[in-house]
């Protein structure tokens, strides 16, 4: 029972109705804001406006959290913690532009290419987080996991449902295409995913292999050609060739750390990201 009330009945009913209307923030705040408004001489429309605005802000935050959870990120990373100077081959302006997520509205694709440890997954996760914050539905997976999931769904006769689900997200991230060669069936199922998303939704792919080597993963030259044709029709390429960030860090750890190393280390330890602001904080 909110404090500062006399009779229980209207409050009980109000709590019930607000729950039914799914207005948890109004329920939580109405009594406190009422007292503040009475104190400050704020009129009823403004009181109601304040409450409704709080509900809207909270609702948006809850939706971002829900989208992040549904996307199944292996870690939450943002561009705040990405050091662009470590990877000069990467077009920073393009990444910042992509983080505005207009490419998702235009249903364009992104492909990040580069050797291991250059931050492809980090950038993919950061763009995916930005998309969640801007209201887009996102799914994150690796090529190997996706193919495994597709094969399993096919065996269990629920492939169509999975394909429909994969088609419906606005941004699909397929990380690590290239580390494992795919079986002919796996390659065909992956091709179908890209094909079904063509001009319907954005796909972001990361790969350690240049396009000319994708045949070694997908097995068939014909299939690779058809897949690249669709994927690269409307595409932004992120070139991420350089030294491995991981190796640089572990090389740094083998000698006694300097003050500069420690500062850098602090920058890159696991961080939590506020789903609303995207600002990071260390645990
Ligand atoms: P890739 O996917 O290209 O193999 P990752 O994105 O997994 O590389 O990067 C390896 C690790 O190094 C991750 O923890 C990532 O956050 C970090 N990292 C890579 N590049 C950068 C960078 N330029 N700035 C900050 N952290 C980076
Ligand atoms: Mg990676």
């Amino acid at each position: 029972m909110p404090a500062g009330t006399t009779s229980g009945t209207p409050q009980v009913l109000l709590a019930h109705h607000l729950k039914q209307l799914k207005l948890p923030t109004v329920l939580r705040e109405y009594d406190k804001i009422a007292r503040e408004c009475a104190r400050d001489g704020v009129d009823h429309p403004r009181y109601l406006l304040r409450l409704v605005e709080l509900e809207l802000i909270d609702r948006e935050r809850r939706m971002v959290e829900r989208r992040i959870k549904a996307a199944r990120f292996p870690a939450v990373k943002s561009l705040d913690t990405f050091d662009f100077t470590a990877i000069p081959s990467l077009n920073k302006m393009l990444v910042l532009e992509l983080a505005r997520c207009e490419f998702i509205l235009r249903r364009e694709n992104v492909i990040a290419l580069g050797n291991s440890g250059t931050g492809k997954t980090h950038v993919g996760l950061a763009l995916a987080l930005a998309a969640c914050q801007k209201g887009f539905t996102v799914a994150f997976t690796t090529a190997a996991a996706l193919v495994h999931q597709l094969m399993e769904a096919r065996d269990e006769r629920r492939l169509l449902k999975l394909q429909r689900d994969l088609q419906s997200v606005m941004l699909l991230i397929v990380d690590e295409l290239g580390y494992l060669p795919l079986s002919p069936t796996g390659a065909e199922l992956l091709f179908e995913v890209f094909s079904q998303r063509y001009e319907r939704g954005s796909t972001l792919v990361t790969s350690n292999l240049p396009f000319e080597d994708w045949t070694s993963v997908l097995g068939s030259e014909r299939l690779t050609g058809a897949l690249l044709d669709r994927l690269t029709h409307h595409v932004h390429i992120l070139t991420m060739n350089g030294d491995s960030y991981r190796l640089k860090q572990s090389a740094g750890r083998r000698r006694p750390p300097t003050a500069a190393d420690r500062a850098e280390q602090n920058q890159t330890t696991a961080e939590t990201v506020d789903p609303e602001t995207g600002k990071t904080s260390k645990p």
Side-chain angles (χ1 to χ4, degrees):
M1 184 76 40
T5 53
T6 47
S7 159
T9 314
Q11 281 78 16
V12 171
L13 272 178
L14 186 57
H16 176 264
H17 295 342
L18 286 172
K19 270 186 203 147
Q20 211 168 13
L21 287 165
K22 296 195 171 32
L23 298 169
T25 309
V26 172
L27 175 59
R28 199 182 61 236
E29 299 290 331
Y30 80 86
D31 193 58
K32 188 179 112 221
I33 306 286
R35 274 181 280 128
E36 284 174 12
C37 287
R39 184 196 61 205
D40 302 340
V42 174
D43 61 15
H44 283 93
R46 285 191 180 78
Y47 162 61
L48 200 53
L49 180 64
R50 229 179 251 186
L51 266 187
V52 170
E53 278 175 350
L54 282 178
E55 185 71 58
L56 278 176
I57 292 168
D58 255 12
R59 182 171 292 186
E60 182 54 34
R61 190 182 46 76
R62 290 194 299 269
M63 299 235 309
V64 171
E65 272 168 13
R66 223 171 293 142
R67 285 190 288 263
I68 290 174
K69 208 163 159 211
R72 296 171 177 272
F73 298 144
V76 182
K77 304 250 176 180
S78 80
L79 288 181
D80 286 6
T81 53
F82 192 77
D83 175 11
F84 282 92
T85 61
I87 179 91
S89 73
L90 178 63
N91 182 343
K92 178 179 176 179
M93 291 313 289
L94 175 56
V95 176
L96 297 182
E97 167 59 30
L98 291 173
R100 290 154 52 109
C101 296
E102 283 161 18
F103 76 98
I104 302 175
L105 289 173
R106 295 192 296 265
R107 294 161 168 74
E108 294 163 353
N109 298 326
V110 178
I111 304 178
L113 296 176
N115 45 305
S116 179
T118 50
K120 300 182 297 296
T121 301
H122 189 136
V123 168
L125 284 167
L127 293 178
L129 179 68
C132 288
Q133 288 164 340
K134 294 209 156 49
F136 298 102
T137 50
V138 178
F140 186 101
T141 183
T142 62
L146 179 58
V147 165
H148 182 82
Q149 230 188 335
L150 288 160
M151 306 255 275
E152 202 173 70
R154 196 195 52 154
D155 292 347
E156 293 168 6
R157 299 183 159 276
R158 48 178 182 81
L159 182 59
L160 269 178
K161 159 125 188 22
L162 177 60
Q163 285 176 329
R164 264 200 296 269
D165 291 348
L166 288 166
Q167 205 180 310
S168 70
V169 288
M170 290 159 170
L171 175 64
L172 175 69
I173 307 206
V174 181
D175 199 20
E176 296 186 354
L177 182 80
Y179 284 116
L180 296 173
L182 303 174
S183 66
T185 315
E188 265 170 48
L189 288 169
L190 187 66
F191 168 78
E192 273 181 44
V193 171
F194 290 147
S195 174
Q196 286 163 352
R197 289 186 62 78
Y198 173 64
E199 292 191 336
R200 292 204 190 100
S202 294
T203 307
L204 185 155
V205 178
T206 80
S207 178
N208 59 315
L209 296 179
F211 291 139
E212 57 268 28
D213 294 344
W214 282 29
T215 309
S216 66
V217 178
L218 296 161
S220 136
E221 215 161 288
R222 182 190 53 82
L223 191 80
T224 307
L227 184 145
L228 279 175
D229 196 39
R230 283 157 182 78
L231 204 57
T232 60
H233 185 193
H234 311 286
V235 76
H236 305 275
I237 309 272
L238 300 175
T239 311
M240 301 183 66
N241 278 310
D243 298 332
S244 163
Y245 200 84
R246 290 190 198 98
L247 281 183
K248 263 197 288 189
Q249 282 210 316
S250 47
R253 276 196 292 273
R254 278 197 289 276
R255 58 179 163 71
T258 62
D261 286 338
R262 277 194 293 274
E264 189 185 3
Q265 188 67 34
N266 282 339
Q267 274 244 309
T268 53
T269 45
E271 66 266 345
T272 52
V273 176
D274 182 316
E276 199 179 341
T277 61
K279 295 272 174 271
T280 52
S281 57
K282 307 279 188 275

